[in-house]
Amino acid sequence: MDRGFCFFNTSSSICLKPLFSPSFMSNQITNTTETGKFNPISFEDKWYSYWLQNKLFHSEPDEREPFTIVIPPPNVTGVLHMGHMLNNTIQDVLIRRARMQGKNACWVPGTDHASIATEAKVVQMLREKGIKKSDLSRDEFLSYAWEWKEKYGGIILEQLKKLGASCDWDRTRFTMEESLSDAVIDVFIDLHKKGLIYRELRMVNWDPQGKTALSDEEVIFKEVNSKLYYIKYPIVNENTGKGETSDGQQIWSQPYVIIATTRPETILADTAVCVNPLDERYKHLIGMKVKVPFINREISIIADEYVAMDFGTGCLKVTPAHDKNDYELGKKYNLEVIDTLTEEGFLNEKAQDERYIGKDRFVVRKQIAIDLEEAGFIDKIEEYKNQVGTSERTGAVIEPRLTLQWWVDMKKFLEKNPQVLDAVMSDEIKFHPSNMKNTYRHWIENIKDWCISRQLWWGQRIPAWYNEKGELVAVAKTKEEALAQIGSSFNGDIKQDEDVLDTWFSSWLWPISVFDGFKDPNNKDINYYFPTNDLVTAPEIMFFWVARMIMSGYEWKGNLPFKNVYYTGIVRDKQRRKMSKSLGNSPDPLDLIAQFGADGVRMGMLLCSPAGNDILFDESQVEQGRNFGNKLWNAYRLVKGWEIKPDADIEAEIITSNQKSGAWFAARFDEVVSEIDGKFADYKLSEALMAMYKLIWDDFCSWYLEMIKPAYQQPINQSTYDECINHFNQLLSLLHPFMPFITEEIWHGLETKKEGESICLAPYPVAKGLKNIDFSKTFDAITAIRNLRNAKGLSPKEAFKIIIKANDETAYQSNEFLIKKLANVSEVIFDKTAESGQNWISLPVSTDQVLVYLELNIDVDAEKDKIQKEIEYLQGFMKSVDAKLSNEKFVNNAKPDLVEKERQKKADAEAKISVLLESLNSLGL
């Protein structure tokens, strides 16, 4: 029976059946829409089921070259968004191309347990049932969490199938499944033994909503509009507040000092005031005391050069429990640490003032500001913009908090593994785009220790054990192993650490753990698939994930974990805002797929997504992708609609022309394949797709098919048809990684295929180095005549007589049949000395002229004006080229081929001007 999945949000319940189930698979695949209108929805599900049924994405180690990608595991709480669409489309393009190149392609899917996000979802679910987390035991809560994961955790993977993701679903992994969790625990124990993990009381980033510590990388800073409160702290003996400089000038006459802060609620935790020892305003106050407003705690005025004399009043309140820098000052001067906040961000009894105890920090901020002003403690209040740290997961404003946490000694780790930086900077691991290396180097060279403990229940529990006094006595996987480690002389009980490990502490092992490289370091999978080939990810998790995976690869496998890292950009709307649910500017990817088809969405996303650059998404791009699919579909219907006859039944002139056309397209195709290979080598997928787009739309559909298309109700010869089908198949193979569904549908429709065959496994085209066949003059002549016909509003059925005036007539003579056919020309005359007379219009074609005879009155003045404007344009163009060529810096420093191109542009423009001037003369100017 098919299982249903339901995703709950605040407004509704969305139920989602598994998108592709074996019960939907048919044993006989038919081309159901062969003669119908283009409708991608009619065949996308069919082909994905076919691929799954025939296990075309499954990989096992063999003698072939492996090509491996591990998916950046989406959170089990996640549903598909535009960033996922872009990232996974790129991965799919890379893996499908490798599969067609004969490599053993393996794309490993999976999900991340996402400690903070998932625990928040489970707590919300329990709250809706009237259950508090605090009323449950750890095991009871985890039972609910696993139930939630099983119900909702697979939604995003099912959605990826709608996109066409060719993952090896048999290899799907989850970061909290048993073997991967075992790996995480083993790594913790290993690092502890190596002295790379320690436990210490330190100031951390505290998420009051998630009630857990966060690493620096999990804090997102946002600019906010705040208020800067200038608060008066009374000096204990007001007479001593008066002072003079050495020359007798009075410098301070007030019975208080003024301190500027954006967080007035924290004054209740102040334990000192600090000034700069060089600040003449406050020198005489150093060593004196002030009172904290309302609670009258007496605190000392200390001096340290850390204080900036030009910020605020130059007088700093020191709150060691609630500010990282203040904490360092507190340690330096042995100040008392008074923590006035609970883990939820409410003021506790240490705040001492009953008006504020038990209230939220932001509620207190507003209230205490009012109370301070009413009591006369406010000097002034200013509007102020500042950067506020927020939790990457919950969005809550971060509180600096002093807690006992576990840490990885990152500096020591890097000293042990210098390859972590060297491999990237030397391009052993290549970043695309390469400028990301500088960001990576900066982070590595300024690395801070990694806080890896989280105050949660959902996650891998830290394998540390404490005696009844709370002292650490062992680090071991089980209680039995811990007791054995302690020794038989120990008679008391031990208790495991309550905290779990940071989710990223499991994710950094992903390229190894998905192949069970910790469980069995020499198993066939890890030996075959590792290191992986490509990683596709977002720049914002370079430090969370990419750098740490590189660290783990060298630490436990002595090797890089991947060879290339492709950084995607951020998907933004037309106003350059990051797409998000909160802004309401992010379309539902599944709605886009339903409207435009998966291929259209894939193509629309990739056409505008150069590596590392942000994508300005517009639905029109997806529509362009759909339209391209429609163009391909119409070409398919055209070809399949032709009547075929033996070559013997077709005129020789037609066959000869078709053979030339086929040879031209074969050469053009070969040229583009070579270009595309180069784009893939540089990971310029957007440019590779654009080259395919032009090849198919322009060269194949607009030229080749028109060149060989038989006359109305006439047949095509067999050899030309066979060659066309071959070209079409090659195009489909080239395009398949980008647009898998329509290429599979047409590939099956062009020729009868056996059950189980798929374009997924068809050979990827290889450039053969064919010599280029230049039809450019023929195409230019045809285009010029067509444009003239359109400009004059003449019927396409009206045939023209033309004269071609060219120094080299062979380029036209060899394709005279094509010119007549595609431009509807009744007669072609070759005459180098021809002059245009009455009813003749001159068309410049490169450096040549095509004279077209029209049986209508020609407006000579209008023709002269048109030619004159074209001459003026070319003269202006030549000026810009001349400016470049007269610039010594450009000529001396630019690449020789670039300089030569500019010189050729000038020569071409001069030749065209010459032709146009001749045309003017012929019109009697």
Side-chain angles (χ1 to χ4, degrees), residues 35-97:
T35 58
K37 186 179 178 182
F38 178 56
N39 179 19
I41 303 305
S42 68
F43 54 74
E44 288 181 352
D45 287 3
K46 172 186 72 174
W47 287 119
Y48 203 90
S49 295
Y50 178 82
W51 295 332
L52 293 181
Q53 181 186 34
N54 289 283
K55 288 192 171 293
L56 298 178
F57 308 151
H58 184 60
S59 172
E60 291 291 339
D62 59 25
E63 70 287 348
R64 290 175 294 166
E65 175 189 348
F67 184 92
T68 318
I69 295 177
V70 292
I71 199 171
N75 293 345
V76 287
T77 58
V79 291
L80 201 64
H81 58 61
M82 298 303 288
H84 292 133
M85 293 278 281
L86 174 63
N87 185 297
N88 287 281
T89 296
I90 291 169
Q91 291 177 79
D92 196 43
V93 168
L94 294 169
I95 207 77
R96 284 181 180 272
R97 182 171 181 265

Side-chain angles (χ1 to χ4, degrees), residues 75 112-121 176 393 454 456-460 500-504 506:
N75 293 345
D112 189 291
H113 64 276
S115 293
I116 298 173
T118 305
E119 186 146 327
K121 289 281 188 183
M176 261 184 70
R393 289 294 179 210
R454 298 290 181 269
L456 302 165
W457 282 350
W458 176 248
Q460 287 92 5
V500 299
L501 287 158
D502 177 14
T503 300
W504 296 104
S506 58

Side-chain angles (χ1 to χ4, degrees), residues 627-751:
N627 292 345
F628 180 72
N630 189 55
K631 181 78 170 181
L632 196 64
W633 184 255
N634 287 338
Y636 162 60
R637 292 178 64 197
L638 172 70
V639 171
K640 290 298 288 183
W642 288 338
E643 180 189 358
I644 308 164
K645 288 287 182 74
D647 284 15
D649 294 349
I650 307 297
E651 293 177 29
E653 186 180 29
I654 294 175
I655 294 176
T656 300
S657 177
N658 288 346
Q659 288 171 342
K660 289 179 182 178
S661 300
W664 166 79
F665 184 77
R668 178 69 185 130
F669 177 83
D670 197 66
E671 181 184 1
V672 175
V673 168
S674 181
E675 178 189 351
I676 288 170
D677 286 344
K679 299 300 184 186
F680 268 101
D682 293 333
Y683 288 78
K684 295 180 178 178
L685 272 61
S686 179
E687 293 180 26
L689 179 56
M690 182 53 72
M692 286 184 208
Y693 182 97
K694 291 177 180 177
L695 175 69
I696 293 170
W697 192 291
D698 297 337
D699 298 318
F700 184 70
C701 295
S702 297
W703 284 116
Y704 176 66
L705 292 184
E706 291 297 314
M707 289 154 77
I708 65 168
K709 184 173 71 175
Y712 180 63
Q713 292 189 337
Q714 295 299 308
I716 190 170
N717 63 298
Q718 183 71 55
S719 63
T720 297
Y721 180 80
D722 292 343
E723 185 178 34
C724 177
I725 295 298
N726 178 60
H727 289 322
F728 212 148
N729 276 324
Q730 287 288 295
L731 284 174
L732 295 173
S733 296
L734 193 66
L735 182 63
H736 175 74
F738 290 94
M739 301 182 79
F741 292 107
I742 189 172
T743 51
E744 186 78 80
E745 175 78 0
I746 295 176
W747 189 78
H748 278 266
L750 286 175
E751 298 174 297

Side-chain angles (χ1 to χ4, degrees), residues 528-646:
Y528 182 74
Y529 293 114
F530 187 92
T532 66
N533 292 77
D534 295 341
L535 177 74
V536 181
T537 189
E540 56 262 36
I541 58 172
M542 181 190 292
F543 315 127
F544 285 126
W545 196 44
V546 179
R548 291 170 182 167
M549 282 192 289
I550 295 172
M551 293 172 74
S552 71
Y554 282 111
E555 176 64 23
W556 288 286
K557 296 303 293 180
N559 204 347
L560 46 81
F562 31 70
K563 297 161 189 171
N564 294 282
V565 182
Y566 181 107
Y567 290 104
T568 64
I570 296 171
V571 184
R572 299 185 182 276
D573 64 15
K574 288 185 284 187
Q575 299 175 46
R576 297 187 175 274
R577 300 175 302 174
K578 183 177 179 180
M579 285 193 165
S580 67
K581 289 181 182 177
S582 60
L583 288 175
N585 63 345
S586 181
D588 185 328
L590 294 182
D591 288 346
L592 288 176
I593 289 173
Q595 186 177 356
F596 299 104
D599 288 331
V601 175
R602 289 165 66 112
M603 184 167 190
M605 293 284 285
L606 287 180
L607 277 174
C608 56
S609 59
N613 291 345
D614 289 352
I615 293 91
L616 298 182
F617 178 79
D618 188 319
E619 202 168 280
S620 63
Q621 296 155 350
V622 177
E623 187 175 4
Q624 182 184 7
R626 193 266 318 273
N627 292 345
F628 180 72
N630 189 55
K631 181 78 170 181
L632 196 64
W633 184 255
N634 287 338
Y636 162 60
R637 292 178 64 197
L638 172 70
V639 171
K640 290 298 288 183
W642 288 338
E643 180 189 358
I644 308 164
K645 288 287 182 74

Side-chain angles (χ1 to χ4, degrees), residues 38 88 95 109 129 169 209 218 273 285 317 402 454 477 520 593 600 742 757 782 867 886 920:
F38 178 56
N88 287 281
I95 207 77
K129 293 181 178 182
W169 299 107
Q209 186 173 324
E218 291 170 295
V273 167
L285 297 178
K317 65 190 279 300
L402 195 60
R454 298 290 181 269
K477 202 165 192 175
D520 180 2
I593 289 173
I742 189 172
E757 283 189 308
I782 293 167
I867 294 171
S886 61
L920 275 180

Side-chain angles (χ1 to χ4, degrees), residues 117-137:
T118 305
E119 186 146 327
K121 289 281 188 183
V122 176
V123 168
Q124 180 186 347
M125 177 189 74
L126 292 172
R127 191 182 300 122
E128 291 169 359
K129 293 181 178 182
I131 303 171
K132 293 181 179 178
K133 178 187 174 185
S134 56
D135 293 337
L136 299 174
S137 69

Side-chain angles (χ1 to χ4, degrees), residues 188-253:
F188 182 96
I189 295 168
D190 182 54
L191 289 176
H192 188 265
K193 286 178 181 176
K194 293 171 178 174
L196 295 173
I197 281 184
Y198 63 94
R199 190 173 187 238
E200 186 175 284
L201 184 71
R202 289 174 63 175
M203 185 70 74
V204 299
N205 305 299
W206 185 261
D207 179 348
Q209 186 173 324
K211 291 190 284 189
T212 182
L214 302 176
S215 67
D216 287 344
E217 289 75 29
E218 291 170 295
V219 177
I220 307 298
F221 283 91
K222 297 178 180 178
E223 185 175 79
V224 298
N225 294 315
S226 300
K227 294 184 184 298
L228 193 59
Y229 301 89
Y230 289 78
I231 303 172
K232 302 172 184 176
Y233 283 59
I235 297 172
V236 172
N237 182 347
E238 67 175 61
N239 292 325
T240 61
K242 299 178 176 67
E244 297 179 347
T245 61
S246 56
D247 59 2
Q249 188 177 3
Q250 185 175 321
I251 57 171
W252 193 261
S253 60

